[in-house]
Amino acid sequence: MIIFHDPQCADYGSSTRPDRPEQPARVSTTVARLRAAHLDWQWRLPPLADEAVLRLVHSPQHLERLQFAHDFDEDTPYFEGIYQHARRSVGAAIAAMEATLDEKQKTFALMRPPGHHALPSQAMGFCYLNQVAITAFVARQRGIGRIAVWDFDAHHGNGTEDILHDREDYLFVSIHQDPAYPHTGKMSSGNCRNYCITPHAPREEHMAALRRSWNELLAFKPELILVSAGFDAYVNDPITEMSLEVADFAELGRWLAATSIPTVSVLEGGYSADLPELIDSFLTAWAL
Ligand SMILES: [Zn+2]
């Protein structure tokens, strides 16, 4: 397992906005746990993503706006240096994809901000740049044909769907709580397949939907899988109403381990104090 991580990703958001659930400690506590528990895992410092690759997805106006001190919305304020932070997060996802393809490694981008809500010209839901969509386009430039995104974050990956919708040989599969933020993803359309889970649905029901969604993704026969790995479908997550337990995230990791298709995971959401344990369970099962 190779973890792509830059400690600078914890340098924003705690003092200026202590009220937001998307806090630096999410990542820093996870780093501490993984480093202590897995001495054989590799850690790599990701590069800053080039502006040229950001433009594969995002408008020049959006990239400019990220550099001005102006809030997007309540969840997604301007932070000093947020453009660079978001570019590092994109850089980690791309570097993880490259290591997966070039070195046949399992890789995880352990960074913030997350990305799956980010639209071409709009930051929202803690997300500023859409690293998974950008990484999918960079992989295509490298000649990868069929590319699938599996998004098991508790929220619909509206940004990723918006970007990949109707694009040939991309599949987007999202499993999410409905109704919930961002109130999209209620139906499937074309290459975007949405699995809605009602609030407080039993975990067995949620896991069965996850399995169906994973089977649908495998049936697409992708050459590359990008996982938007959000851990906020956990029963104790403070901002959702879902029922998954620690062991369920290990089960998702086992499904990844059972495929020989190159797979990259990128951290999205997850706001409970147990996030380090959830990520560890998922990665440990996947690494076996
Ligand atoms: Zn989420």
Side-chain angles (χ1 to χ4, degrees), residues 24-41:
R26 298 173 60 236
V27 169
S28 50
T29 56
T30 302
V31 169
R33 180 178 174 121
L34 297 182
R35 280 194 182 276
H38 304 282
L39 299 177
D40 56 327
W41 290 3

Side-chain angles (χ1 to χ4, degrees), residues 150-156 174-178 195-214 228 230-235 237 240-245 248-249 251-252 255:
W150 193 44
D151 186 332
F152 64 73
D153 186 279
H155 301 96
H156 178 235
S174 179
I175 311 87
H176 47 266
Q177 180 178 316
D178 180 68
Y195 292 75
C196 297
I197 311 293
T198 51
H200 307 293
R203 60 189 280 222
E204 295 78 9
E205 195 180 299
H206 190 155
M207 287 302 289
L210 280 159
R211 185 68 228 190
R212 286 196 302 278
S213 74
W214 181 244
S228 269
F231 296 84
D232 43 8
Y234 178 49
V235 64
D237 196 278
T240 63
E241 298 151 305
M242 304 191 93
S243 309
L244 297 189
E245 302 280 357
D248 296 324
F249 291 98
E251 180 67 10
L252 304 186
W255 298 351

Side-chain angles (χ1 to χ4, degrees), residues 14-196:
S14 60
S15 54
T16 48
R17 286 293 304 274
D19 53 317
R20 289 169 88 239
E22 202 290 284
Q23 286 292 311
R26 298 173 60 236
V27 169
S28 50
T29 56
T30 302
V31 169
R33 180 178 174 121
L34 297 182
R35 280 194 182 276
H38 304 282
L39 299 177
D40 56 327
W41 290 3
Q42 280 186 49
W43 290 76
R44 290 191 194 167
L45 201 61
L48 198 64
D50 286 341
E51 287 207 339
V53 300
L54 308 183
R55 286 196 291 267
L56 293 172
V57 161
H58 295 284
S59 67
Q61 294 81 355
H62 180 62
L63 302 183
E64 225 168 85
R65 196 181 159 189
L66 286 171
Q67 300 170 69
F68 286 97
H70 185 83
D71 294 348
F72 285 87
D73 60 32
E74 180 64 18
D75 289 336
T76 323
Y78 173 82
F79 292 107
E80 184 72 37
I82 192 61
Y83 181 53
Q84 304 299 95
H85 288 299
R87 284 176 66 188
R88 272 190 283 274
S89 201
V90 174
I94 293 171
M97 176 271 291
E98 288 171 341
T100 291
L101 294 176
D102 294 340
E103 304 171 44
K104 311 271 180 277
Q105 295 278 347
K106 297 169 182 177
T107 58
F108 182 58
L110 177 51
M111 294 287 286
R112 57 191 287 271
H116 72 153
H117 295 306
L119 294 157
S121 294
Q122 189 185 336
M124 61 183 282
F126 314 140
C127 303
Y128 298 83
L129 296 171
N130 196 310
Q131 50 263 39
V132 161
I134 294 168
T135 300
F137 286 1
V138 173
R140 174 61 51 79
Q141 284 188 328
R142 286 180 50 126
I144 304 298
R146 300 169 74 78
I147 299 170
V149 175
W150 193 44
D151 186 332
F152 64 73
D153 186 279
H155 301 96
H156 178 235
N158 62 302
T160 313
E161 171 163 318
D162 182 87
I163 295 157
L164 298 185
H165 192 251
D166 280 346
R167 287 184 184 262
E168 199 174 345
D169 291 339
Y170 291 97
L171 177 72
F172 176 66
V173 181
S174 179
I175 311 87
H176 47 266
Q177 180 178 316
D178 180 68
Y181 182 88
H183 308 290
T184 51
K186 292 174 184 295
M187 296 200 311
S188 296
S189 166
N191 66 330
C192 295
R193 318 304 299 171
N194 289 311
Y195 292 75
C196 297

